[in-house]
Amino acid sequence: MLEIRLLGDPVLRQLAVEVDEIDDHLRRFAEEMFETMYSAEGIGLAAPQVGVSRRLFVMDIQDGEAEPRAVVNPVIVERSGSERGEEGCLSLPGLVGAVERSAQIVMEGLDLDGNPLRIEASDLLARCILHEIDHLDGILFIDRLSPIKRRMLLSKWKKLQKEERRR
Ligand code: ZN
């Protein structure tokens, strides 16, 4: 299992670089990312969250419709609308906040065979993709909250971390 990096780890704030080779090594890494995501009960996990500053993420929103996917070098090519929705993050366990994001998006990228991938998404799937791409740009969901809400969550975070250390 890969170690999930938490808020405060500098790798979460780096701009991840493009993947230039899709090979067995990358496919194995994506498999490990899926396992890590499922065991942490997340619906998405970006490579920087396990300490690898590369443009890759995995997701499975488990809505019975969208298939699990690994996406390499994703870009948003279209976006419209806006919607607020609750988000959490495996790198900030215990925190949730309502984030405003585009309601409909079109994402392009590559799959693990190097084939072009184009996904039209709305609702939770769009939110998940935008959240994961933010990770590749060093952005966390708390950055998208109002300063007051962010301060509240950060102080909760400090409390949670203190309790964690005491255990
Ligand atoms: Zn996250």
Side-chain angles (χ1 to χ4, degrees):
M1 213 64 73
L2 303 165
E3 186 202 342
I4 297 178
R5 306 303 179 89
L6 302 180
L7 178 66
D9 191 314
V11 73
L12 292 175
R13 292 309 194 174
Q14 285 168 17
L15 185 66
V17 296
E18 289 216 333
V19 173
D20 50 16
E21 211 181 330
I22 298 174
D23 54 12
D24 284 343
H25 180 259
L26 189 81
R27 282 184 281 271
R28 208 155 35 233
F29 174 58
E31 264 325 299
E32 289 172 357
M33 284 178 63
F34 270 116
E35 284 167 28
T36 304
M37 177 186 81
Y38 287 128
S39 97
E41 295 178 0
I43 60 169
L45 184 70
Q49 292 183 275
V50 289
V52 176
S53 195
R54 293 272 164 172
R55 304 190 78 82
L56 162 71
F57 72 84
V58 298
M59 61 175 173
D60 183 358
I61 62 164
Q62 299 172 30
D63 67 344
E65 208 176 304
E67 344 168 16
R69 288 217 185 258
V71 186
V72 177
N73 298 341
V75 280
I76 300 298
V77 293
E78 281 173 48
R79 55 168 83 227
S80 61
S82 106
E83 213 167 61
R84 277 164 75 82
E86 288 272 306
E87 291 184 27
C89 181
L90 294 178
S91 294
L92 297 88
L95 302 190
V96 283
V99 183
E100 181 110 31
R101 296 205 187 261
S102 301
Q104 291 93 28
I105 59 160
V106 179
M107 184 214 72
E108 291 181 353
L110 298 171
D111 68 16
L112 287 176
D113 296 313
N115 296 317
L117 192 63
R118 182 181 163 92
I119 299 177
E120 290 179 25
S122 58
D123 303 317
L124 182 61
L125 186 61
R127 179 168 300 281
C128 180
I129 289 170
L130 292 168
H131 178 116
E132 298 313 324
I133 292 179
D134 266 358
H135 275 301
L136 307 183
D137 295 327
I139 298 167
L140 299 172
F141 84 85
I142 50 168
D143 303 341
R144 298 198 177 277
L145 304 173
S146 69
I148 293 171
K149 182 73 188 169
R150 183 164 54 241
R151 262 200 304 278
M152 273 171 51
L153 285 187
L154 286 174
S155 75
K156 182 178 179 193
W157 174 254
K158 280 186 199 123
K159 241 179 263 166
L160 289 172
Q161 291 302 99
K162 236 183 254 166
E163 284 164 22
E164 191 67 31
R165 274 195 295 274
R166 246 184 261 134
R167 254 190 257 151

